[in-house]
Amino acid sequence: MSIENPVKRLLMTVTQGVYVVGVGEGGLRNAFTASSVMQVSMQPPMLAMAVNPDNASYPLLVEGGVFAVTVLQHDQCALADFFGNHSARDEDKLGAVAWHAAPSGAPVLNEGLSYLDCRAVSRHPAGDHVVILAEITGGDFLQGRVRPLRYDEVGDMDGSDELLPEHLGIAGERSEFPGRS
Ligand SMILES: Cc1cc2nc3c(=O)[nH]c(=O)nc-3n(C[C@H](O)[C@H](O)[C@H](O)COP(=O)(O)O)c2cc1C
């Protein structure tokens, strides 16, 4: 993996996971890969997620008002790639994997590490994304204790190397960056 953009390398030092977010509304279901997910409140348990409104999933999320975050295992890069580089506009992604509905009705990948069931409570524009604040209404472990997949381990799978600016006044790295080959 060779990441040359210094802003991308800087952001890769911020620890993030990689998730598949299932959405549903009426009879329609879909799922997409997301790395911009974080816990933001304990009482009640809440998370924030940044979603590109151009995703085919976005209207289903807004209209359904619920989503399920499947946490991927460390060796599930292929699932991240599949759900993150294919769109429901072109294919039925959920038709290719085993999934079940969370209590909210949103799809959960059976092979994930764990899942969080969520109810969206507000939306906040954030640049080219929309931040969704959501209450965590449930969830469970799907596998035993295995390590989750980290965003810095998937390289430039999301193509953000090209989207990010290259200059934020970064002077340089202290030592060789692990994501650089
Ligand atoms: C590693 C990775 C991380 C991603 N993170 C996000 C994210 O946090 N938010 C988002 O809206 N899209 C993210 N994407 C892009 C969507 O997964 C991608 O646009 C997907 O094709 C949308 O699917 P849909 O059109 O079926 O909804 C990510 C993609 C990858 C590969």
Side-chain angles (χ1 to χ4, degrees):
M1 160 179 40
S2 176
I3 305 292
E4 295 303 328
N5 182 330
V7 174
K8 167 84 178 174
R9 292 207 304 273
L10 183 68
L11 290 174
M12 285 170 81
T13 64
V14 177
T15 309
Q16 284 174 265
V18 182
Y19 313 95
V20 173
V21 177
V23 295
E25 207 279 314
L28 297 173
R29 299 277 179 279
N30 188 30
F32 67 101
T33 301
S35 57
S36 299
V37 175
M38 66 180 285
Q39 181 187 338
V40 292
S41 166
M42 287 184 260
Q43 292 184 359
M46 290 179 72
L47 60 75
M49 172 173 72
V51 183
N52 186 334
D54 292 339
N55 290 355
S57 304
Y58 185 72
L60 292 184
L61 200 170
V62 170
E63 286 155 30
V66 294
F67 59 95
V69 177
T70 299
V71 180
L72 294 181
Q73 304 182 38
H74 66 95
D75 58 356
Q76 292 182 323
C77 258
L79 278 178
D81 189 25
F82 179 64
F83 281 93
N85 284 308
H86 295 80
S87 176
R89 291 191 184 92
D90 306 313
E91 65 187 285
D92 172 18
K93 290 184 273 186
L94 286 169
V97 298
W99 64 276
H100 65 276
S104 69
V108 171
L109 301 199
N110 294 358
E111 299 303 318
L113 164 58
S114 60
Y115 81 93
L116 304 170
D117 205 10
C118 301
R119 182 176 61 84
V121 293
S122 61
R123 299 197 298 270
H124 308 267
D128 56 8
H129 280 53
V130 175
V131 172
I132 311 280
L133 287 183
E135 202 167 318
I136 301 168
T137 54
D140 208 346
F141 291 92
L142 300 162
Q143 307 291 332
R145 255 191 180 277
V146 289
R147 187 171 68 69
L149 178 62
R150 292 195 323 263
Y151 181 54
D152 65 283
E153 294 177 307
V154 305
D156 194 38
M157 184 188 281
D158 61 1
S160 58
D161 203 351
E162 270 186 10
L163 297 174
L164 287 162
E166 289 197 13
H167 304 289
L168 287 177
I170 297 168
E173 290 153 18
R174 297 286 164 164
S175 60
E176 189 58 21
F177 182 75
R180 248 182 136 176
S181 61

